[in-house]
Short mmCIF file of all heavy atoms in Angstrom, two decimals:
data_model
loop_
_atom_site.label_atom_id
_atom_site.label_comp_id
_atom_site.label_asym_id
_atom_site.label_seq_id
_atom_site.Cartn_x
_atom_site.Cartn_y
_atom_site.Cartn_z
N ARG A 1 51.63 -76.20 -27.21
CA ARG A 1 52.32 -74.92 -27.08
C ARG A 1 52.62 -74.30 -28.43
O ARG A 1 52.48 -73.08 -28.62
CB ARG A 1 53.61 -75.11 -26.29
CG ARG A 1 53.40 -75.37 -24.79
CD ARG A 1 54.68 -75.89 -24.15
NE ARG A 1 55.79 -74.96 -24.31
CZ ARG A 1 57.07 -75.33 -24.23
NH1 ARG A 1 57.39 -76.60 -24.03
NH2 ARG A 1 58.02 -74.43 -24.37
N LEU A 2 53.02 -75.13 -29.39
CA LEU A 2 53.33 -74.60 -30.72
C LEU A 2 52.07 -74.08 -31.39
O LEU A 2 52.09 -73.03 -32.05
CB LEU A 2 54.00 -75.66 -31.59
CG LEU A 2 54.45 -75.19 -32.97
CD1 LEU A 2 55.46 -74.04 -32.85
CD2 LEU A 2 55.04 -76.33 -33.78
N ILE A 3 50.96 -74.77 -31.25
CA ILE A 3 49.69 -74.29 -31.81
C ILE A 3 49.34 -72.93 -31.23
O ILE A 3 48.91 -72.02 -31.95
CB ILE A 3 48.57 -75.31 -31.55
CG1 ILE A 3 48.81 -76.58 -32.38
CG2 ILE A 3 47.20 -74.71 -31.89
CD1 ILE A 3 47.90 -77.73 -32.02
N GLU A 4 49.54 -72.75 -29.93
CA GLU A 4 49.26 -71.46 -29.30
C GLU A 4 50.14 -70.36 -29.86
O GLU A 4 49.69 -69.23 -30.07
CB GLU A 4 49.47 -71.57 -27.79
CG GLU A 4 48.41 -72.38 -27.07
CD GLU A 4 48.63 -72.43 -25.57
OE1 GLU A 4 49.51 -71.69 -25.08
OE2 GLU A 4 47.94 -73.21 -24.89
N ILE A 5 51.41 -70.68 -30.12
CA ILE A 5 52.32 -69.68 -30.69
C ILE A 5 51.85 -69.30 -32.10
O ILE A 5 51.80 -68.11 -32.44
CB ILE A 5 53.77 -70.23 -30.73
CG1 ILE A 5 54.32 -70.35 -29.31
CG2 ILE A 5 54.66 -69.31 -31.57
CD1 ILE A 5 55.65 -71.08 -29.23
N VAL A 6 51.51 -70.29 -32.91
CA VAL A 6 51.04 -70.03 -34.27
C VAL A 6 49.80 -69.13 -34.23
O VAL A 6 49.69 -68.16 -34.99
CB VAL A 6 50.75 -71.35 -35.01
CG1 VAL A 6 50.04 -71.09 -36.33
CG2 VAL A 6 52.04 -72.13 -35.24
N GLN A 7 48.90 -69.44 -33.35
CA GLN A 7 47.67 -68.64 -33.23
C GLN A 7 47.96 -67.24 -32.70
O GLN A 7 47.25 -66.29 -33.04
CB GLN A 7 46.67 -69.36 -32.34
CG GLN A 7 46.14 -70.66 -32.97
CD GLN A 7 45.28 -71.48 -32.02
OE1 GLN A 7 45.34 -71.30 -30.79
NE2 GLN A 7 44.51 -72.39 -32.57
N ALA A 8 49.03 -67.11 -31.91
CA ALA A 8 49.39 -65.80 -31.35
C ALA A 8 49.80 -64.82 -32.43
O ALA A 8 49.63 -63.60 -32.27
CB ALA A 8 50.51 -65.95 -30.31
N PHE A 9 50.35 -65.30 -33.56
CA PHE A 9 50.65 -64.37 -34.64
C PHE A 9 49.64 -64.49 -35.79
O PHE A 9 49.89 -64.12 -36.93
CB PHE A 9 52.10 -64.46 -35.13
CG PHE A 9 52.61 -65.81 -35.56
CD1 PHE A 9 52.28 -66.35 -36.79
CD2 PHE A 9 53.44 -66.53 -34.73
CE1 PHE A 9 52.77 -67.57 -37.19
CE2 PHE A 9 53.96 -67.76 -35.12
CZ PHE A 9 53.62 -68.28 -36.36
N GLY A 10 48.44 -64.97 -35.45
CA GLY A 10 47.30 -64.87 -36.36
C GLY A 10 47.27 -65.86 -37.50
O GLY A 10 46.51 -65.67 -38.45
N TYR A 11 48.06 -66.93 -37.43
CA TYR A 11 48.07 -67.93 -38.49
C TYR A 11 47.18 -69.12 -38.12
O TYR A 11 46.87 -69.34 -36.96
CB TYR A 11 49.50 -68.42 -38.74
CG TYR A 11 50.29 -67.59 -39.72
CD1 TYR A 11 50.07 -66.22 -39.86
CD2 TYR A 11 51.29 -68.16 -40.50
CE1 TYR A 11 50.81 -65.46 -40.75
CE2 TYR A 11 52.03 -67.41 -41.39
CZ TYR A 11 51.79 -66.05 -41.52
OH TYR A 11 52.51 -65.30 -42.40
N GLU A 12 46.78 -69.87 -39.14
CA GLU A 12 46.04 -71.10 -38.94
C GLU A 12 47.02 -72.25 -38.73
O GLU A 12 47.95 -72.43 -39.53
CB GLU A 12 45.16 -71.40 -40.17
CG GLU A 12 44.08 -70.37 -40.44
CD GLU A 12 42.87 -70.56 -39.54
OE1 GLU A 12 42.79 -71.59 -38.86
OE2 GLU A 12 42.00 -69.66 -39.55
N ALA A 13 46.82 -73.02 -37.68
CA ALA A 13 47.64 -74.20 -37.42
C ALA A 13 46.91 -75.43 -37.96
O ALA A 13 45.80 -75.73 -37.51
CB ALA A 13 47.92 -74.36 -35.94
N VAL A 14 47.50 -76.11 -38.94
CA VAL A 14 46.92 -77.33 -39.49
C VAL A 14 47.61 -78.51 -38.82
O VAL A 14 48.80 -78.74 -39.02
CB VAL A 14 47.12 -77.39 -41.02
CG1 VAL A 14 46.58 -78.70 -41.57
CG2 VAL A 14 46.43 -76.20 -41.68
N VAL A 15 46.88 -79.24 -37.99
CA VAL A 15 47.46 -80.32 -37.20
C VAL A 15 47.37 -81.62 -38.00
O VAL A 15 46.28 -82.02 -38.43
CB VAL A 15 46.73 -80.46 -35.85
CG1 VAL A 15 47.35 -81.58 -35.02
CG2 VAL A 15 46.80 -79.13 -35.09
N GLU A 16 48.51 -82.26 -38.21
CA GLU A 16 48.57 -83.43 -39.09
C GLU A 16 49.30 -84.59 -38.44
O GLU A 16 50.14 -84.39 -37.56
CB GLU A 16 49.33 -83.07 -40.38
CG GLU A 16 48.80 -81.87 -41.11
CD GLU A 16 49.73 -81.46 -42.24
OE1 GLU A 16 50.61 -82.26 -42.62
OE2 GLU A 16 49.57 -80.32 -42.75
N LYS A 17 49.01 -85.78 -38.95
CA LYS A 17 49.84 -86.93 -38.64
C LYS A 17 51.04 -86.93 -39.59
O LYS A 17 51.01 -86.30 -40.65
CB LYS A 17 49.05 -88.23 -38.79
CG LYS A 17 47.95 -88.39 -37.76
CD LYS A 17 47.24 -89.74 -37.92
CE LYS A 17 46.17 -89.90 -36.85
NZ LYS A 17 45.44 -91.19 -37.00
N GLU A 18 52.07 -87.64 -39.22
CA GLU A 18 53.31 -87.65 -39.99
C GLU A 18 53.20 -88.56 -41.21
O GLU A 18 53.05 -89.78 -41.08
CB GLU A 18 54.44 -88.13 -39.08
CG GLU A 18 55.82 -88.07 -39.68
CD GLU A 18 56.88 -88.51 -38.68
OE1 GLU A 18 56.56 -89.33 -37.80
OE2 GLU A 18 58.01 -88.04 -38.79
N VAL A 19 53.24 -87.95 -42.39
CA VAL A 19 53.30 -88.70 -43.66
C VAL A 19 54.32 -88.00 -44.55
O VAL A 19 54.50 -86.78 -44.44
CB VAL A 19 51.93 -88.77 -44.38
CG1 VAL A 19 50.93 -89.59 -43.58
CG2 VAL A 19 51.38 -87.37 -44.65
N PRO A 20 55.01 -88.73 -45.44
CA PRO A 20 56.00 -88.10 -46.31
C PRO A 20 55.38 -86.96 -47.11
O PRO A 20 54.33 -87.10 -47.73
CB PRO A 20 56.44 -89.25 -47.23
CG PRO A 20 56.20 -90.48 -46.42
CD PRO A 20 54.96 -90.20 -45.63
N GLY A 21 56.05 -85.80 -47.08
CA GLY A 21 55.56 -84.64 -47.82
C GLY A 21 54.52 -83.81 -47.10
O GLY A 21 54.19 -82.71 -47.55
N PHE A 22 53.97 -84.36 -45.98
CA PHE A 22 52.89 -83.68 -45.26
C PHE A 22 51.71 -83.46 -46.20
O PHE A 22 51.64 -84.05 -47.27
CB PHE A 22 53.38 -82.38 -44.61
CG PHE A 22 54.66 -82.53 -43.82
CD1 PHE A 22 55.60 -81.52 -43.78
CD2 PHE A 22 54.93 -83.70 -43.13
CE1 PHE A 22 56.78 -81.65 -43.06
CE2 PHE A 22 56.11 -83.85 -42.41
CZ PHE A 22 57.03 -82.83 -42.38
N ILE A 23 50.75 -82.64 -45.82
CA ILE A 23 49.54 -82.49 -46.63
C ILE A 23 49.77 -81.57 -47.82
O ILE A 23 49.48 -81.91 -48.96
CB ILE A 23 48.37 -81.94 -45.79
CG1 ILE A 23 47.93 -82.97 -44.75
CG2 ILE A 23 47.19 -81.59 -46.69
CD1 ILE A 23 46.85 -82.46 -43.82
N GLU A 24 50.30 -80.38 -47.55
CA GLU A 24 50.39 -79.37 -48.61
C GLU A 24 51.18 -79.87 -49.81
O GLU A 24 50.73 -79.76 -50.96
CB GLU A 24 51.01 -78.09 -48.07
CG GLU A 24 51.05 -76.97 -49.11
CD GLU A 24 51.75 -75.73 -48.63
OE1 GLU A 24 52.44 -75.76 -47.58
OE2 GLU A 24 51.63 -74.70 -49.32
N ASN A 25 52.36 -80.41 -49.56
CA ASN A 25 53.20 -80.83 -50.68
C ASN A 25 52.67 -82.09 -51.36
O ASN A 25 52.86 -82.27 -52.57
CB ASN A 25 54.64 -81.04 -50.23
CG ASN A 25 55.42 -79.74 -50.27
OD1 ASN A 25 55.09 -78.82 -51.00
ND2 ASN A 25 56.46 -79.64 -49.46
N ARG A 26 52.00 -82.96 -50.63
CA ARG A 26 51.41 -84.13 -51.28
C ARG A 26 50.36 -83.70 -52.31
O ARG A 26 50.33 -84.20 -53.44
CB ARG A 26 50.78 -85.07 -50.25
CG ARG A 26 51.77 -85.83 -49.40
CD ARG A 26 51.07 -86.70 -48.39
NE ARG A 26 50.53 -87.91 -48.99
CZ ARG A 26 51.16 -89.07 -49.02
NH1 ARG A 26 52.37 -89.20 -48.49
NH2 ARG A 26 50.59 -90.13 -49.57
N ILE A 27 49.52 -82.75 -51.92
CA ILE A 27 48.48 -82.27 -52.84
C ILE A 27 49.10 -81.47 -53.97
O ILE A 27 48.76 -81.65 -55.15
CB ILE A 27 47.44 -81.44 -52.07
CG1 ILE A 27 46.70 -82.33 -51.05
CG2 ILE A 27 46.45 -80.78 -53.03
CD1 ILE A 27 45.84 -81.58 -50.08
N LEU A 28 50.05 -80.58 -53.63
CA LEU A 28 50.69 -79.77 -54.65
C LEU A 28 51.40 -80.64 -55.69
O LEU A 28 51.27 -80.40 -56.89
CB LEU A 28 51.68 -78.81 -54.00
CG LEU A 28 52.55 -77.99 -54.96
CD1 LEU A 28 51.68 -77.09 -55.84
CD2 LEU A 28 53.56 -77.16 -54.18
N TYR A 29 52.14 -81.64 -55.23
CA TYR A 29 52.90 -82.46 -56.17
C TYR A 29 52.00 -83.36 -57.02
O TYR A 29 52.33 -83.69 -58.16
CB TYR A 29 53.98 -83.26 -55.44
CG TYR A 29 55.25 -82.44 -55.27
CD1 TYR A 29 55.27 -81.33 -54.43
CD2 TYR A 29 56.40 -82.74 -55.98
CE1 TYR A 29 56.41 -80.56 -54.29
CE2 TYR A 29 57.55 -81.98 -55.85
CZ TYR A 29 57.56 -80.89 -55.01
OH TYR A 29 58.68 -80.12 -54.88
N ALA A 30 50.85 -83.73 -56.48
CA ALA A 30 49.88 -84.47 -57.29
C ALA A 30 49.36 -83.59 -58.42
O ALA A 30 49.23 -84.03 -59.58
CB ALA A 30 48.73 -84.96 -56.43
N ILE A 31 49.09 -82.32 -58.11
CA ILE A 31 48.64 -81.38 -59.14
C ILE A 31 49.74 -81.15 -60.18
O ILE A 31 49.51 -81.19 -61.38
CB ILE A 31 48.21 -80.05 -58.50
CG1 ILE A 31 46.94 -80.24 -57.66
CG2 ILE A 31 47.97 -78.97 -59.57
CD1 ILE A 31 46.57 -79.03 -56.83
N LEU A 32 50.97 -80.92 -59.69
CA LEU A 32 52.08 -80.66 -60.61
C LEU A 32 52.36 -81.86 -61.50
O LEU A 32 52.68 -81.69 -62.69
CB LEU A 32 53.34 -80.28 -59.81
CG LEU A 32 53.28 -78.95 -59.05
CD1 LEU A 32 54.55 -78.76 -58.23
CD2 LEU A 32 53.09 -77.77 -60.00
N ARG A 33 52.24 -83.07 -60.96
CA ARG A 33 52.46 -84.26 -61.77
C ARG A 33 51.47 -84.32 -62.94
O ARG A 33 51.86 -84.57 -64.08
CB ARG A 33 52.34 -85.51 -60.91
CG ARG A 33 52.51 -86.81 -61.69
CD ARG A 33 52.52 -88.03 -60.79
NE ARG A 33 51.23 -88.24 -60.14
CZ ARG A 33 50.98 -89.27 -59.33
NH1 ARG A 33 51.92 -90.15 -59.05
NH2 ARG A 33 49.79 -89.40 -58.76
N GLU A 34 50.20 -84.06 -62.65
CA GLU A 34 49.19 -84.09 -63.71
C GLU A 34 49.42 -82.96 -64.72
O GLU A 34 49.28 -83.16 -65.93
CB GLU A 34 47.79 -83.99 -63.10
CG GLU A 34 46.67 -84.22 -64.09
CD GLU A 34 46.67 -85.63 -64.68
OE1 GLU A 34 47.06 -86.59 -63.97
OE2 GLU A 34 46.30 -85.76 -65.87
N CYS A 35 49.79 -81.78 -64.22
CA CYS A 35 50.04 -80.65 -65.12
C CYS A 35 51.19 -80.95 -66.06
O CYS A 35 51.12 -80.69 -67.27
CB CYS A 35 50.35 -79.39 -64.30
SG CYS A 35 48.94 -78.70 -63.42
N LEU A 36 52.29 -81.50 -65.54
CA LEU A 36 53.44 -81.82 -66.37
C LEU A 36 53.08 -82.89 -67.41
O LEU A 36 53.52 -82.81 -68.57
CB LEU A 36 54.60 -82.29 -65.50
CG LEU A 36 55.29 -81.18 -64.69
CD1 LEU A 36 56.16 -81.78 -63.59
CD2 LEU A 36 56.13 -80.29 -65.61
N ALA A 37 52.28 -83.87 -67.01
CA ALA A 37 51.87 -84.92 -67.95
C ALA A 37 51.06 -84.33 -69.09
O ALA A 37 51.25 -84.70 -70.26
CB ALA A 37 51.07 -85.99 -67.21
N LEU A 38 50.18 -83.40 -68.79
CA LEU A 38 49.35 -82.79 -69.84
C LEU A 38 50.18 -81.94 -70.81
O LEU A 38 49.93 -81.94 -72.01
CB LEU A 38 48.25 -81.93 -69.19
CG LEU A 38 47.17 -82.72 -68.44
CD1 LEU A 38 46.31 -81.79 -67.61
CD2 LEU A 38 46.31 -83.53 -69.40
N VAL A 39 51.18 -81.23 -70.26
CA VAL A 39 52.06 -80.44 -71.14
C VAL A 39 52.90 -81.37 -72.00
O VAL A 39 53.06 -81.16 -73.21
CB VAL A 39 52.95 -79.50 -70.31
CG1 VAL A 39 54.00 -78.83 -71.19
CG2 VAL A 39 52.10 -78.43 -69.62
N GLU A 40 53.45 -82.43 -71.39
CA GLU A 40 54.26 -83.40 -72.15
C GLU A 40 53.45 -84.04 -73.28
O GLU A 40 53.98 -84.29 -74.37
CB GLU A 40 54.77 -84.50 -71.22
CG GLU A 40 55.99 -84.10 -70.41
CD GLU A 40 56.56 -85.29 -69.65
OE1 GLU A 40 55.81 -85.92 -68.87
OE2 GLU A 40 57.74 -85.60 -69.86
N GLN A 41 52.19 -84.30 -73.02
CA GLN A 41 51.34 -84.95 -74.03
C GLN A 41 50.86 -83.97 -75.10
O GLN A 41 50.19 -84.37 -76.07
CB GLN A 41 50.13 -85.59 -73.34
CG GLN A 41 50.46 -86.76 -72.43
CD GLN A 41 49.32 -87.10 -71.48
OE1 GLN A 41 48.17 -86.72 -71.71
NE2 GLN A 41 49.64 -87.79 -70.40
N GLY A 42 51.17 -82.68 -74.93
CA GLY A 42 50.76 -81.69 -75.91
C GLY A 42 49.30 -81.29 -75.81
O GLY A 42 48.74 -80.70 -76.74
N VAL A 43 48.67 -81.60 -74.66
CA VAL A 43 47.26 -81.25 -74.48
C VAL A 43 47.08 -79.74 -74.41
O VAL A 43 46.09 -79.19 -74.90
CB VAL A 43 46.70 -81.94 -73.21
CG1 VAL A 43 45.28 -81.47 -72.91
CG2 VAL A 43 46.75 -83.45 -73.35
#
């Protein structure tokens, strides 16, 4: 039912299993971690 509602207002529903941070934030925070390390190292 929730997927149908999401689709009713034209959005993409990404169906996931339950993991800490879900998909988007896991990927985002992995990128941010590497970016911060590179800045800290003066790269």
